[in-house]
Amino acid sequence: MVGFSLGEPDDDDRGSPGTLPYRPPEAGGVAAKVLTAVIVVGLAVGAVAYFALPASRIDGPTAPTTSGPLGQPPATGSGLSLKAPPAPAAVLAGVAASRSVDAHRLEHLVGRTLTSPRLGHHLGFAVAALGSTHLAMRAGGPQPITPASTTKLLTTTTALTILGPDHRFATTVKQGGSPRRIVLVGGGDPLLTDRRTPAEEAAESYPRPATLQQLAARTAASLSKAGVHRVSLGYDDSLFTGPAVNPQWPHKYIPESVVSPISSLWVDEGRAVAGLAARVADPAAEAASLFGALLAEQGVAVDPTVRDTRVSHTAATLATVESPPLAEIVQHILALSDNEGAEVLLRQVAIAAGRPGSSAAGVQVVRQTISGLGIDLRHAVIYDGSGLSRHDRLPIQVLVDVLQADAAADHPDLRPVVTSLPVAGFTGTLAYRFVDDEPSGLGLVTAKTGTLTDVHALAGVITARSGAVLVFAAVADRVPVPKTNAARAQLDRIAATLASCGC
């Protein structure tokens, strides 16, 4: 550890091994005597001045005649006459609209970054001032782009609209046909986990997920109260319907563990080990098996066969755990570009709208909801909630319009989408970008990333040097694989150039 203290010489000045330690010069000589005389005279003058003062000036301070607000100095007092300080302004004032943007200056500055060969053979680009109904600039023509993970902006916006930011998803244990039969019922909690983290780590995790350990402990307590110590266990994952694997995804996604089969009951999103890529073949069955083992640790004997079953929604509930609120789940999904989480929300909005919990029904609800916000989806093609499908297509302006709606003052429930965007150089999928190549964008660019083979995207909100707040989207969707890193770096340059704009 390197330390310092004022008034002391550095370590090097104190000598080194084999040398004498630092020592100040001895007193003496003409210079020292002159200095001593000056000090003595100064002390004498000070004493005379002190005893010549009126008593009222040396008896100590008098109490102020008035007192200011808590935490502020008094406005008046002995020898003091000050105006009370003004009330402090808000540290971060809300922004619902931006100052206007000089479109010609913007195009002059940004235009040259859009023509780089790094971006491949097709780029969609659009930018507008926050709160504006018109684009300040657009490039790439009318052809829709492949949105990749920027599709999650539509999915999370729909979920917040339909369900609200405070909504939670419950995982329950219900009574089966007899006191010794219990059923683990999936409620479509995307973040349910069985991680066994130390208490201090669990307290710091965000969002803080519901755990199978909590559910097992509560179930065991309920069973013990009823005098039941041995059970047969079943599981019910019937909340979601339709194919668990979207037919519009490449067939290799499941065997290569790109994404899990989507289920209303799983732990750690169907991963074999939390945080790692490998997925299990049957997430619901695996979750039930883990739950049985946890019950055994709580002293409940569980029959070895765990069955896929169905239980009535009117059956008695023995125990429940709830997910974090939807606003926190949205933050997690957007920050980390969580494909499984987005696909679960797609099915949840279908159920909330009174439809079957399928991917296809969820897409219909997304289209209706986003259109209901005044956004034109006539030329959009949407097959999923995550953007994993290479057949998804969106006009580039749709991404800008969705973000405008999320930031609008009359849609406060949608604000978590904007506030959850990764921050350049600091959080989520942008944590390590902009740091070396485009530092002018650090902290000023907040954007959802999108990546597929040949596709690279950014869509978000930027605070420009001029003070203008810009909403933008840039998607390069025909990038040869060897140019992958170069295309991503060029998108960062586009965003950083917007951040440095004095427009």
Side-chain angles (χ1 to χ4, degrees), residues 149-150 152-153 333-334 337 421-422 429 446-450 457-460:
S149 281
T150 60
K152 295 181 177 73
L153 295 172
I333 289 172
L334 294 179
S337 202
L421 296 173
T429 54
T446 62
K448 179 69 195 77
T449 56
L458 282 178

Side-chain angles (χ1 to χ4, degrees), residues 174 244 464 485:
K174 288 184 173 289
N485 291 334

Side-chain angles (χ1 to χ4, degrees), residues 3 22 34 37 41 90 113 119-120 127 129 177 180 184 207 228 245 300 305 309 314 322 367 372 377 396 407:
Y22 171 82
V34 171
V41 172
T113 67
L119 297 170
V127 61
R180 290 189 59 254
L184 175 64
V228 176
V245 180
V300 179
T305 302
T309 187
T314 61
E322 290 189 331
R367 294 189 68 97
L377 292 182
I396 192 68

Side-chain angles (χ1 to χ4, degrees), residues 180-316:
R180 290 189 59 254
R181 294 180 62 186
I182 64 173
V183 181
L184 175 64
V185 183
D189 178 356
L191 302 185
L192 182 68
T193 184
D194 77 330
R195 289 178 300 194
R196 305 182 186 209
T197 57
E200 60 272 15
E201 290 185 19
E204 294 174 358
S205 64
Y206 184 87
R208 191 170 182 177
T211 70
L212 276 187
Q213 282 84 356
Q214 295 169 324
L215 188 59
R218 293 172 186 178
T219 302
S222 182
L223 291 171
S224 177
K225 187 175 180 180
V228 176
H229 303 287
R230 184 180 187 89
V231 297
S232 62
L233 174 64
Y235 65 92
D236 185 341
D237 63 344
S238 62
L239 182 66
F240 294 167
T241 61
V245 180
N246 194 303
Q248 297 294 330
W249 291 346
H251 297 300
K252 66 180 181 180
Y253 277 4
I254 299 301
E256 293 185 2
S257 286
V258 173
V259 65
S260 296
I262 306 305
S263 174
S264 64
L265 175 62
W266 60 21
V267 293
D268 299 316
E269 298 186 328
R271 288 175 168 81
V273 178
L276 300 183
R279 269 75 170 182
V280 299
D282 189 338
E286 182 69 15
S289 177
L290 290 170
F291 183 68
L294 291 171
L295 279 178
E297 291 181 6
Q298 294 288 332
V300 179
V302 181
D303 293 346
T305 302
V306 179
R307 294 181 174 85
D308 182 1
T309 187
R310 298 293 176 264
V311 66
S312 170
H313 68 277
T314 61

Side-chain angles (χ1 to χ4, degrees), residues 122 138-145 379 394-396:
H122 180 242
R138 179 175 177 165
Q143 183 177 359
I145 49 86
H379 302 292
L394 292 178
I396 192 68

